[in-house]
Amino acid sequence: MKRIHYSWVILIITFFSIIVAGIVRSSSGVFIVPFENEFGWDRSVISLAFAISLFLYGLSGPFMAALIEVLGLKKMMVLAMSTLLAGIFLTFFMEHEWQLILIWGIIIGLGSGVFLTVLSPYVANRWFEKRRGLAVGILTASTATGQLILLPVLAIIIENYSWRWAIGLILALSLIMLAIILLFMKNNPKEVGTLPYGEEKSQGAVTVQKKNPIAMAFQSLIEAVRVKEFWLLAGSFFICGLSTSGLIGTHFISYCISYGLPVVTAASLLSFMGIFDLIGTTVSGWLSDRFDNRWLLFWYYALRGASLVVLPFALNEGSVVLLIIFSVFYGLDWIATVPPTISISRQVFGMEKSGIVYGWIFAAHQVGAAVAAYGGGLIFKIFNSYTWAFFLAGIFCLLGSLFVILIKKQKAVTKVKDDAMEL
């Protein structure tokens, strides 16, 4: 029996690290109503705290990519998970709105930055020569899959006990993950005496950057803004963030509750999306190695837009069947846009620069998420309904499908043979 390549061990550690970080950040959806009930805070203020979190972890992406280059992968993951732990622990003691904004907006927002922005492409690029698209697909799927699957558990705990018990579960998972990172995570293949998966001979020593990470991040941005493809990718990713974590991730549960659905049922629908997200995003990674990534993105955005326009009708009709169909359909498309976007970024900007440039593209994603997280709460406050928020998101997705098709076609990606994976 052949020994499992350590690249797959790294992928598993990274997969579960992203899941835990995603659980922390996206559990906000089940805490909106409990925080509103216990503290009497306005929903728009709670939405603002979660919007700041989305914005900060997105904005931190390029700087986190630069810091990984300077400090190393393992040290950054340890620092980030420790920051998340601090934020979760402080949640037990918050009493005022400004504390919610500080803890869930700033601390948890920054702590999520490494895991939910540039970690997936960084690990795939450094640890995999072959199966890189598949690795990206698996890792990006974890950003939504784990958090969505656990949401019903958190909802049940909140409903039967208290939101504090749910926070306690998240705290325990984060502690376990921190221990695993400390024990088994490595910075690069050289540390375990191997090469990236699929690489037959060494390409040379890993370069450790000594530059100022802030300067590196802004230098990459200055170079990227001169390229049309950067603006098209950033614009489409703004819409991606607006229509996923910003709107669905933050307000879907509250939207369902406003139509009389129990919180556990609403969380279960999100969980259902998470299961199909794992399938859809993994397959999307596989497809991104083989087909024109522009057309993949075109169909992803167009179909997502159609599903978001249909959702208000499904809720208004009270049709469980339509809601399940929506959950399956939307779940397959939840983060399917990420592998093709990373692939195009790598093709346009090259292997070395694509990590930080993708960080800036992802920052646009999170600006969109923040706009939807706050905007959704504001629209609810004005109209006492989320319907317009979901209609507008659907229209924006259709616009995003036009953005990506304007990207200049890149050189064809070498087709990977469909041999069985050698682990």
Side-chain angles (χ1 to χ4, degrees), residues 38-191:
E38 177 163 336
F39 299 105
W41 296 335
D42 189 274
R43 186 171 299 193
S44 63
V45 174
I46 299 172
S47 298
L48 175 62
F50 297 148
I52 290 171
S53 174
L54 289 166
F55 175 75
L56 277 183
Y57 97 67
L59 184 65
S60 69
F63 303 100
M64 295 300 178
L67 281 169
I68 289 174
E69 297 285 353
V70 174
L71 299 178
L73 180 60
K74 180 175 181 176
K75 185 177 290 186
M76 281 303 300
M77 289 177 71
V78 170
L79 287 171
M81 189 61 71
S82 299
T83 303
L84 286 175
L85 274 165
I88 299 163
F89 181 72
L90 289 171
T91 302
F92 288 110
F93 306 100
M94 68 180 186
E95 295 179 346
H96 305 286
E97 292 174 346
W98 68 267
Q99 293 170 339
L100 173 71
I101 292 172
L102 173 64
I103 295 168
W104 280 84
I106 298 174
I107 296 175
I108 289 178
L110 291 175
S112 305
V114 170
F115 299 104
L116 304 181
T117 58
V118 296
L119 188 60
S120 297
Y122 187 93
V123 169
N125 288 347
R126 295 300 188 275
W127 284 87
F128 290 84
E129 179 63 29
K130 292 183 179 178
R131 311 292 181 186
R132 188 175 286 150
L134 178 64
V136 170
I138 293 170
L139 292 177
T140 51
S142 67
T143 60
T145 300
Q147 66 199 32
L148 297 178
I149 289 174
L150 195 68
L151 280 179
V153 178
L154 297 176
I156 290 169
I157 292 172
I158 291 169
E159 191 171 59
N160 292 289
Y161 300 98
S162 164
W163 63 264
R164 289 178 176 82
W165 283 96
I167 291 291
L169 174 60
I170 297 172
L171 182 68
L173 291 173
S174 302
L175 280 169
I176 293 169
M177 202 64 243
L178 177 61
I180 292 172
I181 293 170
L182 285 167
L183 290 172
F184 301 109
M185 195 65 198
K186 304 295 180 183
N187 290 305
N188 54 65
K190 186 178 179 181
E191 289 190 2

Side-chain angles (χ1 to χ4, degrees), residues 190-271:
K190 186 178 179 181
E191 289 190 2
V192 288
T194 188
L195 297 173
Y197 179 80
E199 188 173 293
E200 296 180 357
K201 64 178 182 177
S202 177
Q203 302 297 319
V206 177
T207 303
V208 178
Q209 299 287 350
K210 297 296 184 182
K211 297 179 182 178
N212 183 310
I214 295 176
M216 289 172 61
F218 280 110
Q219 181 60 39
S220 296
L221 177 63
I222 291 169
E223 294 176 7
V225 295
R226 300 170 184 166
V227 181
K228 180 187 73 173
E229 284 75 11
F230 172 81
W231 292 104
L232 293 171
L233 287 171
S236 62
F237 235 34
F238 173 93
I239 293 168
C240 181
L242 182 146
S243 57
T244 54
S245 55
L247 188 62
I248 293 287
T250 305
H251 295 291
F252 179 78
I253 291 176
S254 298
Y255 192 25
C256 290
I257 291 172
S258 70
Y259 277 89
L261 269 70
V263 63
V264 175
T265 302
S268 297
L269 288 171
L270 269 180
S271 175

Side-chain angles (χ1 to χ4, degrees), residues 347-358:
Q347 292 167 18
V348 173
F349 299 102
M351 179 73 75
E352 293 302 319
K353 295 180 180 179
S354 64
I356 298 177
V357 173
Y358 174 73

Side-chain angles (χ1 to χ4, degrees), residues 43 251 254-255 258 376-377 379-380 384-391:
R43 186 171 299 193
H251 295 291
S254 298
Y255 192 25
S258 70
I379 287 173
F380 181 86
N384 199 33
S385 171
Y386 286 112
T387 298
W388 269 108
F390 282 84
F391 271 138

